[in-house]
Structure formats: structure tokens, C-alpha cells
Amino acid sequence: MFGIELSMIWAVLIAVAVFLYVALDGFDLGVGILFPFAKDSHERDQMQSAIAPVWDGNETWLVLGGGGLFAAFPKAYAALMPALYLPIFLMLLALIFRGVAFEFRHHGRKSGKKWWTIAFSGGSIVAAAAQGLVLGAFIQGVNVVDGEFVGGALDWLTPFSLLVAASLVAGYALLGAGWLVFRTQGELFERARGWVKQLALLTALGMGAVSLATLGVDPRVTYRWGLTMTSVDWETFIVLAPLPLVAGGLCFLLWRGADKGQHLQPYLYTVCLFLVGYVGLAISLWPYIVPFAMTPSEAAAADNALALMLWGALPMLPLILGYTAYVYWLFRAKVSDEAAYH
Amino acid sequence: MDFDALLLSRLQFAFTIGFHIIFPAFTIGLASFLAVLEGLWLFTKKPVFRNLYLFWVKIFALSFGMGVVSGVVMSYQFGTNWSVFSAQVGSVIGPLLAYEVLTAFFLEASFLGVMLFGWKKVGPKLHFFATCMVAIGTLISSFWILAANSWMQTPQGFDFAADGTMVATDFMQVIFNPSLPTRLMHMVLAAFLTTAMVVAGASAFGLLKKKALPESRTALRMAILMMALVAPLQLVIGHQSGEVAHRYQPAKVAAMEGWWETQSQQPTLLFGWPDEDAEATHAAIGIPGMGSWFVAGDANAELQGLKAFAKEDRPPVWITFWAFRVMVGMGLIMIALGLWGATLWFLKRVDGATLYQRALVLAAPSGFIAVLAGWIAAEVGRQPYVVYGVLRTADAVSPVPAGSVATSLLVFMVVYAIVFSAGALYILRLMAAGPDTDEPPPKETSEPPGSPLATGVKSAADKGA
């Protein structure tokens, strides 16, 4: 269609869905990660109010990511999911606790509320870490023979995947802090500004470490960036070198934004930072949809299935983005004690 | 029996989907009920409808949340536990599930935020619109998921590609497969009935406890109307669904009915103990010829029994047989309660009929039981195939070690037990408390019903803090 392979269009669409998930549910999970650092129960109520109307829509991007992978790239889905069995399972469990805690926290009485507060926070932390493990295991590649996963149950557990998990927890916390700067005021706003500054540093460190480690997972990645053990292909490297520089610049901007008391900018800069990391990753792993084993065209569903879905996605995605934007606009005001009533 | 990855994966799927279906079965009906309540509130301005809306929307929020989290599990489980199935049929039913996400899930999830938190942020008409979008979303979602599942029951419009995977030759045939119309109707009506039974039970409880009387009276009548109209209709639709199953899945029908011999004058068994080793149904009590008459419209019609199928092609009989009976039994109870209620209503004796109200409280979970039993009959009766006649369940499982699946199954059981017991507790607590019926000026009752802050502040105020 339009001279481009359908499988490539769908690879891009799913990549966009996953990115939207990270940018949106990332701040929900981040707020949960920051729960233990709140002053008191009332402050945690405010933090949850800042995300309660939108979290469900945000999580739906994860369903589109999973469901879309199944529908558009069934062979990639069939190869990846068994390989990632345990971290995916961990993520689903954590998302259960996180998701029900939105309602349960306010129906529980004294001990119940305490327990669901822990469940919300623990669920957010574990879900973020599990997604990091999934990402780490994905980047380091999956052992596939004839389209079927042939590795062990714990292949995903490596120092690299643990590093990615830790970095992603920090990154989500940064998104959450940025979101709280946008949606809260007063004491909590001040506290969130402080979190942004600390987490910007932590996230920058994590991203740097993951980027360097990614260069080591496979010679193809190193080569992509124009590097080998002994030499540098300057022509390739120079083209790509701006990415880490832009990332560094964004970290500085968001740190300064929080310092100056800007409201929406810290969150937006963080999203841009994630985008830079995401693009860098895409460059590293291109053209694989299952790293080092399958390309989109090898993993794709039949063309008529991809075409049918594209005809649905073309009108539906703008519509979805439209009403999602409307809901965000509706709940754009700062959370306050009165905010919930008006 | 060996606890291998296959058996464990089947148990896990049955367990997780069984838990999941409870919530959609309830929220599909409840979303429509809420839309009707809000519409009536807008139209009549009677506070009783607003109070009912604000009461049931809290229960909806809890149930919907549990439906969402248990549903996300399903969208990944196809891959983690049934990767061969996913690779085989992805090109055929994948698009159906993708359409479900695109046309239903986002709609529900986004407008749910407005529904729960927008009570004072948007005008009443826009809020009503949001409720309607959520209700429509649940119905669209049922369409796509039933289309996918019905295709797995009665597959058509597909072929095999060179690499052995299935591809659609005609998506219209895939979507509108033979069993879709009746099974979709059957499920949506089941959801409406499930909600009606819960609403009836909770309202009857309110009347028995003399709580929120105007609200309980109104809601009880709405539920009786639904029961009296839909329960008999459900019998008709269920019967048609059985006819379709007989045409395309005769082994399933034979297992549901406990028939072993192929013969004319097949009976309808009221009781029996199917025995797969003896290939017979012991202690059978039935009405001869009624089965043939029901399924084929002629008491003398010769219908296939299970012995007409090779042993390895037969579904587990005992479960299918009894699940079917439980479903039908619940359906008959609902019909009876609907007629009883309509009669009392006609005699203007609903509000004082304590015996009837007690019966309704007792029957409140009957819809859930019927939905679960019905799905068990449908899914177990489809065995040993996951795509009927095409792909065996045993050939669809992921190459994962049994240890991984055992771990996930055990933890799922523990976690679901904790989470869904807590959810049930909170819902029952809300039901026991009943709707707010004191009638303060509209502005003060207009707090956003699902707002954490609102509830938090309110409960703090309650404690005098």
C-alpha cells in the first residue's frame, strides 16, 4: 500500500502505540513509584487524583501494544511471549494490584486502605521493573529457532536486564514527578519539583549506562553506531552522535525547568527524553522486531489481515487520540481539595 | 494425569478467563442500566434516578476496574501460554481483537474517566453522553470477542498458507460465522439478566431492611421488567444457539445431552451420571423423544450420540453435561422469578412480598452462575479442539516449561483470591449500605462518585477528623 510494505507500516504503528503507553502510563506508574515519598495519606490522595481519570485509557495502549503485536505480527508474538513468560507474568500481576488499588484504596477502612496503598505503590514499582526486564530481555535478543523460542525460562534474567529495569523505574518516576508538577500545587508541587531534579540526574545516569551497555549486547549494534572494539567509523558516528547530545540537553532543560518552577515543561521534556532514547533503541535494533531473529516482514500476518486492520486504524486512531486529548483537556486543572468537587 | 505445561496452561486459562468473564457479564448490563437511569434522570428530573445512578456507578467503577485488570491478563496469555495457537490463527482472528481494542476498549476507558470524575466538570448532557459511550463500548467489545470466539467454534472463510498458518480468504465469513448471531445475542442477554438479578437482589435487600425505599422500589421494578421480558427470550435464543451447535458441533450437543447412541427419539435427560469409560449415562432420568424434538424439531429425528465420534474426538462429557444443566436450571429459576414478580406487580403486591424479596436476594448470583456454567459447557464441549475441527488444543500450547506455568497458575490463584474477595467485599458493603436517599440540594450530592479525593475527604469527615 502506498509503495510501502504493510508490515513496515504496522511496525511503526505498534512502535507508536508502545511509545504512547510509555509516555502516558509511565507517569501513572511513576506516581505510584513516588507514593512512599509522599508526606501523608492526604498527599497520596492528591497524587492519585492527579491520574485517576486517565489511567485506564493510558493502560489501554498496553493492550493495543500486546493485541496489536498478536494481530499484526503473530510470529513475533509467538516467539517473544514464551521467552518473556515470567517477566510478563510479573508485570500482569503488578498491574492487577496497581489497577484495583485506585478504587479499593478508598473503599478500604483503616487497615484496608493501608494495604491497598502498599499494593498501589508496590504494584507500580514491580510493573515498571518488570517492563524494564521485558525491555532488557528484548534488547539482548531472544533464542529462536524456526520461529519458536528454544531458550530457558530464566534467559531474560541478566545484569543487563536488571540495569534496564532499574533505569526504567527511575525514568517512570521522573515522568510521574513531572506529571505531579503539572497537576498539583502548594506543598506537593514543591516536593514534586525536588523529585524532578533528583530523578533527572538518576535517569540521565541510567540512560547513559543502558546506552553504553546496549552497544555491547551484539556486534551488530556496535557496528550500527559506527563503532568497533578498535576503531570508530566517524561518518556513521557523527550522524548519530547528536542523539546522546540532545538527550543531555533535555536533561539539563528539565532540571532547569523544575528549578524555575515551570509547570508543564518538565513532563514534556521528559517525554522528549524518552523519545530520544526510543529512537536510539530503534536505530540500534533496526531492522529486527524480535532482536537478531525476525524482521517485521518475516513475522507479519497475512497481507489481507494487515490491510483490514489498517482500514480500521486509519479512522479510529485519530478519533481515539481526539477523545483522549479531550479527556486530558477536561482534567487539566491543578488538583486541590476542592478540585474533586468542581 | 500428568501435570504438564499443556494441562497447567489449560487450567490457568480456564481459571483466569472464568474470573474475568464474571466482570464483563456484570458490567455490560450495568453500563446499559446506568445509561437508562441517567437518561431517566435527565428526562424526568426525579431524584430517585439520580440517587440510583450515583449508587450503581460506584459498584460499576469497582467491577469495571476488576474487569480491566483481569482482561489485560488475557491479551498477553494468548502469547505466553498458547503461542502456537497465536502464530497459527493470528492472521484470521488477530484483526478482530485489534478492532476490539480500537473500537471498544479506548472508548470505554476514556469515557469512564468522564463518567466517574466528570459529574461536575461537564454538563449533564455531556455526562450522559459519556455514560452512553461506555455502555456502547461494552456492547461493541462483546461483538468482537464473540466474533473471535464463535469463529473458533464454527470456523469458516479461511485457508492454509504455504507455511502452514491459517489465513482468511473472506473476512466477512470469518466475522459473521454461523454461530455468531445466536451466541452474541445469548451472551448480551445473559449479561443483561446477570445485572437484573443483582439489581433485583440488592433492591429486595433494601426493601427487606427498609432502606432507601423509593430507590429500592423503582430499581426492583426495573429489574422485574428485565427479568420478565428477557429471561423467556433467553430460552428461545439459547435454544437457537443449540440448533446451530447441533449443525456444526454435534459432538458438543451429544455431550451436553448425555447421548451415547445414535438413535431417533433422543431423550432430554433431567438427571444422569455420564461415564466416559462405560460409554453410558448412568441413572438417567429423562423424557424420551424430547431431545430430538428440541434440537431437530421432530421427536423421531435420528441424532448422533457420542459413540459416533472417535474417542479422541470427544469432549469431556461429565463437565459439559452438568455445566449445561446448571445453566439451564439457573435460566428456569430466572424465568420463574420474572413471572412471579410480574404477577405480584400486576396485583400491586411487590413491595410487601417478603417471601419473593428473600428469594430474589438468594437468586442474586444466579446470573453469574449461569454465565460461568454456560461458558464452561461451550468451551469444554468444544474440546479436544481449540479451533473446532482444525487445531487441537494439545497442539496449540507454548513451548514453556511446566515449572513456569505451575508458578504462574499458583500465584494467579492466590492473587485473584485476595483481590477479588476484597472487591466482592467492597461491593457487598456498598450494597448493604444502599443508595443515598436523603435529598439534600442537588449541588451537594453532585460530588464525582468515583473521586478518590471526594471519598477520602468524606470518610475523613465521617470520622470527625
Side-chain angles (χ1 to χ4, degrees), chain B residues 210-233:
Chain B
K210 309 259 181 281
K211 274 185 184 168
L213 292 176
E215 285 77 13
S216 298
R217 284 185 194 125
T218 306
L220 179 58
R221 280 167 176 75
M222 292 173 82
I224 290 174
L225 186 69
M226 182 63 93
M227 265 189 273
L229 292 177
V230 173
L233 180 63

Side-chain angles (χ1 to χ4, degrees), chain A residues 53 59 62 70-71 75 77-78 81 85 89 104 106-107 109 116 301-302 304-305 308 312 316 320 323 326 336 340-341, chain B residues 62 72 75-76 79-81 83 91 94 97 99 102 106-107 113 120 126 163 168 408 411 419 423 426 429 448 451-453:
Chain A
E59 193 174 289
L62 184 69
F70 167 50
K75 288 165 203 165
Y77 181 76
M81 291 299 142
Y85 190 94
F89 161 67
F104 286 11
H106 301 285
H107 288 284
R109 292 168 188 166
W116 291 116
N304 64 344
L308 178 72
M316 287 315 297
I320 289 166
Y323 59 65
Y326 166 73
S336 66
Y341 293 95
Chain B
L62 275 165
V72 176
S75 73
Y76 282 85
T80 51
N81 294 74
S83 65
S91 291
L97 300 181
Y99 268 82
L102 290 170
F106 279 108
L107 195 68
K120 289 213 81 183
L126 201 53
D163 63 358
S408 59
V411 180
V419 166
Y426 296 145
R429 257 190 214 164
S451 160
L453 206 55

Side-chain angles (χ1 to χ4, degrees), chain B residues 155-383:
Chain B
Q156 66 170 21
F158 69 98
D159 205 346
F160 290 93
D163 63 358
T165 62
M166 291 178 224
V167 291
T169 50
D170 182 350
F171 270 110
M172 290 309 274
Q173 280 198 26
V174 169
I175 296 168
F176 297 99
N177 62 79
S179 61
L180 172 72
T182 47
R183 297 182 78 244
L184 175 61
M185 272 299 275
H186 200 42
M187 179 61 203
V188 172
L189 292 186
F192 284 176
L193 274 175
T194 301
T195 306
M197 297 314 293
V198 174
V199 171
S203 311
F205 185 78
L207 288 180
L208 287 168
K209 295 279 162 204
K210 309 259 181 281
K211 274 185 184 168
L213 292 176
E215 285 77 13
S216 298
R217 284 185 194 125
T218 306
L220 179 58
R221 280 167 176 75
M222 292 173 82
I224 290 174
L225 186 69
M226 182 63 93
M227 265 189 273
L229 292 177
V230 173
L233 180 63
Q234 180 72 314
L235 186 70
V236 176
I237 299 291
H239 170 68
Q240 287 178 345
S241 188
E243 283 182 343
V244 175
H246 163 65
R247 209 169 312 142
Y248 294 90
Q249 301 174 301
K252 183 200 268 187
V253 173
M256 282 176 170
E257 302 284 2
W259 299 335
W260 291 92
E261 307 296 335
T262 298
Q263 60 186 35
S264 63
Q265 292 267 336
Q266 289 282 22
T268 288
L269 299 184
L270 304 178
F271 184 87
W273 202 262
D275 181 341
E276 289 178 28
D277 295 327
E279 299 193 306
T281 300
H282 304 304
I285 304 167
I287 306 162
M290 187 140 156
S292 288
W293 180 75
F294 251 143
V295 173
D298 173 7
N300 289 314
E302 185 180 271
L303 298 181
Q304 282 178 313
L306 285 159
K307 283 186 185 174
F309 305 90
K311 269 194 170 168
E312 65 272 19
D313 294 341
R314 294 178 197 162
V317 184
W318 195 93
I319 300 177
T320 314
F321 179 86
W322 273 106
F324 180 65
R325 261 147 203 77
V326 169
M327 176 191 73
V328 174
M330 290 296 138
L332 295 177
I333 288 174
M334 289 180 237
I335 293 175
L337 288 170
L339 287 176
W340 187 1
T343 313
L344 289 171
W345 194 353
F346 181 74
L347 300 173
K348 298 192 192 312
R349 278 165 46 188
V350 176
D351 299 324
T354 50
L355 183 64
Y356 179 59
Q357 289 162 6
R358 287 209 186 93
L360 285 180
V361 174
L362 209 62
S366 58
F368 294 113
I369 299 170
V371 166
L372 275 175
W375 273 105
I376 289 170
E379 298 301 286
V380 175
R382 178 186 54 185
Q383 301 304 322

Side-chain angles (χ1 to χ4, degrees), chain B residues 144-164:
Chain B
W144 289 113
I145 204 71
L146 261 296
N149 183 272
S150 296
W151 181 82
M152 289 160 67
Q153 304 278 354
T154 52
Q156 66 170 21
F158 69 98
D159 205 346
F160 290 93
D163 63 358

